[in-house]
Amino acid sequence: MGNFKKEFILGDYESVRDFAAQKGIKYNGYFAEKTKGWSEEKRARQEQKQSKIIEKTIEKIAKKDPDRNVAHPNAKRELKNGYNRPKKVESRNLEGV
């Protein structure tokens, strides 16, 4: 199961059930018990990877344009917390109003 676990965690599978289906493995109680916790490990690894990407992006921005840190003091926080774009507002037809 060790190789399967590594392949699942590093692979592009949505769930353990999806992984089993793509590998032709019967998903039953035994398989579910042996793969318990894999999804959480995969999620933690992805979050760690995202965090490293954000940190490296911040470092590159800081090195490339040091004045940006002064001009945009919230940039680091926004990158770490995820930038929330304004929601798209649908335009309404105002003819005849």
Side-chain angles (χ1 to χ4, degrees), residues 23 39 57:
K23 293 293 176 187
S39 294
T57 301

Side-chain angles (χ1 to χ4, degrees), residues 85-96:
R85 293 183 182 177
K87 294 182 180 179
K88 185 177 179 182
V89 178
E90 293 183 27
S91 60
R92 297 181 183 174
N93 186 354
L94 299 176
E95 289 181 34

Side-chain angles (χ1 to χ4, degrees), residues 42-95:
K42 183 178 181 89
R43 198 171 307 114
R45 182 170 172 82
Q46 288 173 335
E47 288 173 4
Q48 184 181 38
K49 185 177 173 182
Q50 285 293 83
S51 180
K52 284 182 181 180
I53 290 170
I54 290 169
E55 287 297 323
K56 289 200 182 257
T57 301
I58 291 168
E59 288 173 11
K60 284 181 182 180
I61 291 170
K63 285 180 183 177
K64 187 175 181 180
D65 189 4
D67 294 331
R68 182 183 179 106
N69 287 337
V70 176
H72 301 285
N74 295 328
K76 185 174 183 176
R77 183 173 39 86
E78 286 177 358
L79 281 172
K80 277 190 167 186
N81 297 334
Y83 178 73
N84 296 322
R85 293 183 182 177
K87 294 182 180 179
K88 185 177 179 182
V89 178
E90 293 183 27
S91 60
R92 297 181 183 174
N93 186 354
L94 299 176
E95 289 181 34

